PDB file of all heavy atoms in Angstrom:
ATOM      1  N   LEU A  62       3.126 -22.378  -8.601  1.00 90.00           N
ATOM      2  CA  LEU A  62       2.395 -21.119  -8.562  1.00 90.00           C
ATOM      3  C   LEU A  62       2.393 -20.478  -9.944  1.00 90.00           C
ATOM      4  O   LEU A  62       3.348 -20.628 -10.714  1.00 90.00           O
ATOM      5  CB  LEU A  62       3.026 -20.175  -7.537  1.00 90.00           C
ATOM      6  CG  LEU A  62       2.904 -20.606  -6.079  1.00 90.00           C
ATOM      7  CD1 LEU A  62       3.638 -19.635  -5.176  1.00 90.00           C
ATOM      8  CD2 LEU A  62       1.444 -20.702  -5.666  1.00 90.00           C
ATOM      9  N   ARG A  65       5.608 -15.480 -12.967  1.00 94.00           N
ATOM     10  CA  ARG A  65       6.911 -15.193 -12.379  1.00 94.00           C
ATOM     11  C   ARG A  65       6.722 -14.274 -11.183  1.00 94.00           C
ATOM     12  O   ARG A  65       5.924 -13.326 -11.264  1.00 94.00           O
ATOM     13  CB  ARG A  65       7.790 -14.515 -13.443  1.00 94.00           C
ATOM     14  CG  ARG A  65       9.234 -14.276 -13.031  1.00 94.00           C
ATOM     15  CD  ARG A  65      10.117 -14.155 -14.263  1.00 94.00           C
ATOM     16  NE  ARG A  65       9.716 -13.063 -15.118  1.00 94.00           N
ATOM     17  CZ  ARG A  65      10.176 -11.819 -15.022  1.00 94.00           C
ATOM     18  NH1 ARG A  65      11.043 -11.511 -14.080  1.00 94.00           N
ATOM     19  NH2 ARG A  65       9.780 -10.885 -15.852  1.00 94.00           N
ATOM     20  N   ALA A 298       2.836   8.912  17.846  1.00 60.00           N
ATOM     21  CA  ALA A 298       1.480   9.396  17.628  1.00 60.00           C
ATOM     22  C   ALA A 298       0.442   8.337  17.953  1.00 60.00           C
ATOM     23  O   ALA A 298      -0.752   8.620  17.957  1.00 60.00           O
ATOM     24  CB  ALA A 298       1.314   9.830  16.167  1.00 60.00           C
ATOM     25  N   ARG A 320     -10.352  -7.797 -26.481  1.00 97.00           N
ATOM     26  CA  ARG A 320     -11.073  -8.331 -25.321  1.00 97.00           C
ATOM     27  C   ARG A 320     -10.870  -7.485 -24.064  1.00 97.00           C
ATOM     28  O   ARG A 320     -11.232  -7.883 -22.966  1.00 97.00           O
ATOM     29  CB  ARG A 320     -10.642  -9.777 -25.060  1.00 97.00           C
ATOM     30  CG  ARG A 320     -10.985 -10.710 -26.212  1.00 97.00           C
ATOM     31  CD  ARG A 320     -10.689 -12.159 -25.873  1.00 97.00           C
ATOM     32  NE  ARG A 320     -11.016 -13.052 -26.976  1.00 97.00           N
ATOM     33  CZ  ARG A 320     -12.226 -13.543 -27.229  1.00 97.00           C
ATOM     34  NH1 ARG A 320     -13.229 -13.200 -26.428  1.00 97.00           N
ATOM     35  NH2 ARG A 320     -12.437 -14.350 -28.241  1.00 97.00           N
ATOM     36  N   PRO A 322     -11.654  -5.085 -21.248  1.00 97.00           N
ATOM     37  CA  PRO A 322     -12.928  -4.624 -20.674  1.00 97.00           C
ATOM     38  C   PRO A 322     -13.067  -3.109 -20.630  1.00 97.00           C
ATOM     39  O   PRO A 322     -14.123  -2.594 -20.253  1.00 97.00           O
ATOM     40  CB  PRO A 322     -12.917  -5.219 -19.269  1.00 97.00           C
ATOM     41  CG  PRO A 322     -11.482  -5.434 -18.948  1.00 97.00           C
ATOM     42  CD  PRO A 322     -10.819  -5.778 -20.244  1.00 97.00           C
ATOM     43  N   MET A 325     -11.715   0.269 -15.293  1.00 98.00           N
ATOM     44  CA  MET A 325     -11.126  -0.214 -14.039  1.00 98.00           C
ATOM     45  C   MET A 325     -12.285  -0.660 -13.146  1.00 98.00           C
ATOM     46  O   MET A 325     -13.243   0.102 -12.953  1.00 98.00           O
ATOM     47  CB  MET A 325     -10.321   0.902 -13.371  1.00 98.00           C
ATOM     48  CG  MET A 325      -9.167   1.422 -14.224  1.00 98.00           C
ATOM     49  SD  MET A 325      -8.354   2.868 -13.479  1.00 98.00           S
ATOM     50  CE  MET A 325      -9.618   4.133 -13.721  1.00 98.00           C
ATOM     51  N   THR A 351      -6.514  -8.382  -8.952  1.00 96.00           N
ATOM     52  CA  THR A 351      -6.098  -8.314  -7.550  1.00 96.00           C
ATOM     53  C   THR A 351      -7.194  -8.848  -6.649  1.00 96.00           C
ATOM     54  O   THR A 351      -8.385  -8.672  -6.932  1.00 96.00           O
ATOM     55  CB  THR A 351      -5.795  -6.857  -7.165  1.00 96.00           C
ATOM     56  OG1 THR A 351      -4.879  -6.306  -8.101  1.00 96.00           O
ATOM     57  CG2 THR A 351      -5.211  -6.760  -5.773  1.00 96.00           C
ATOM     58  N   ALA A 413       1.822  10.888   6.452  1.00 96.00           N
ATOM     59  CA  ALA A 413       0.858  10.489   5.420  1.00 96.00           C
ATOM     60  C   ALA A 413       0.742   8.977   5.495  1.00 96.00           C
ATOM     61  O   ALA A 413       1.720   8.262   5.279  1.00 96.00           O
ATOM     62  CB  ALA A 413       1.330  10.927   4.041  1.00 96.00           C
TER      63      ALA A 413
END
Side-chain angles (χ1 to χ4, degrees):
L62 293 177
R65 186 157 60 90
R320 297 186 180 276
M325 300 174 288
T351 308

